[in-house]
Amino acid sequence: MSESKTKKRGASGIGAERLAQLNAGAQAITLTECLAVDFAALMGNIVPGIDDDALAEMTSAASAGISRRMPLAARLIGERLGPSTFETLKQHSSDTVRGWACFVVAAGENMTLAERLAAIRLAGRR
């Protein structure tokens, strides 16, 4: 395989314009796009009221895997804006943001398992 084709397969193959769209809330088309999203940038762009400390914590976790960043994002959003943020996040075009909504529900303390599963199930329907 040629070197140019190899480069286009990874995150470095995502153009700056497309990356900016993803970080502004566009839906990812591929797993590579999903993994390339800058969570701090996305959070700053689409979560009104999120504070600079939360964005700094998210930025510091940028090198962590997605399985660590998803619950961190949900915790930061939930702690600062409360679980009611779920209703806004679950409607978003970004699959990453809808994922955050599911993690916010999973972290909720006042819901039964059945209620959590029902809420998350609704998050996937748009």
Side-chain angles (χ1 to χ4, degrees):
M1 185 175 294
S2 75
E3 187 175 334
S4 63
K5 286 184 181 180
T6 303
K7 285 183 181 178
K8 289 186 179 188
R9 284 186 153 182
S12 63
I14 300 171
E17 182 178 339
R18 179 63 181 150
L19 191 54
Q21 291 170 346
L22 293 167
N23 292 337
Q27 185 169 351
I29 297 171
T30 65
L31 176 59
T32 300
E33 285 187 351
C34 182
L35 296 174
V37 171
D38 178 333
F39 278 31
L42 179 59
M43 190 179 290
N45 284 325
I46 62 92
V47 181
I50 200 70
D51 60 47
D52 290 340
D53 289 341
L55 296 177
E57 190 170 345
M58 199 74 255
T59 297
S60 71
S63 64
I66 194 166
S67 62
R68 292 184 187 254
R69 289 181 291 140
M70 290 297 285
L72 173 60
R75 181 180 59 79
L76 294 171
I77 292 167
E79 285 175 356
R80 283 147 175 91
L81 304 173
S84 63
T85 305
F86 168 77
E87 293 300 321
T88 303
L89 299 179
K90 76 177 187 179
Q91 304 290 335
H92 204 275
S93 61
S94 169
D95 41 343
T96 300
V97 175
R98 291 190 312 272
W100 293 346
C102 293
F103 276 82
V104 167
V105 168
E109 296 177 7
N110 297 322
M111 296 176 80
T112 67
L113 177 60
E115 290 169 334
R116 290 178 198 198
L117 292 173
I120 289 170
R121 189 173 306 115
L122 293 175
R125 295 184 186 155
R126 295 185 319 133

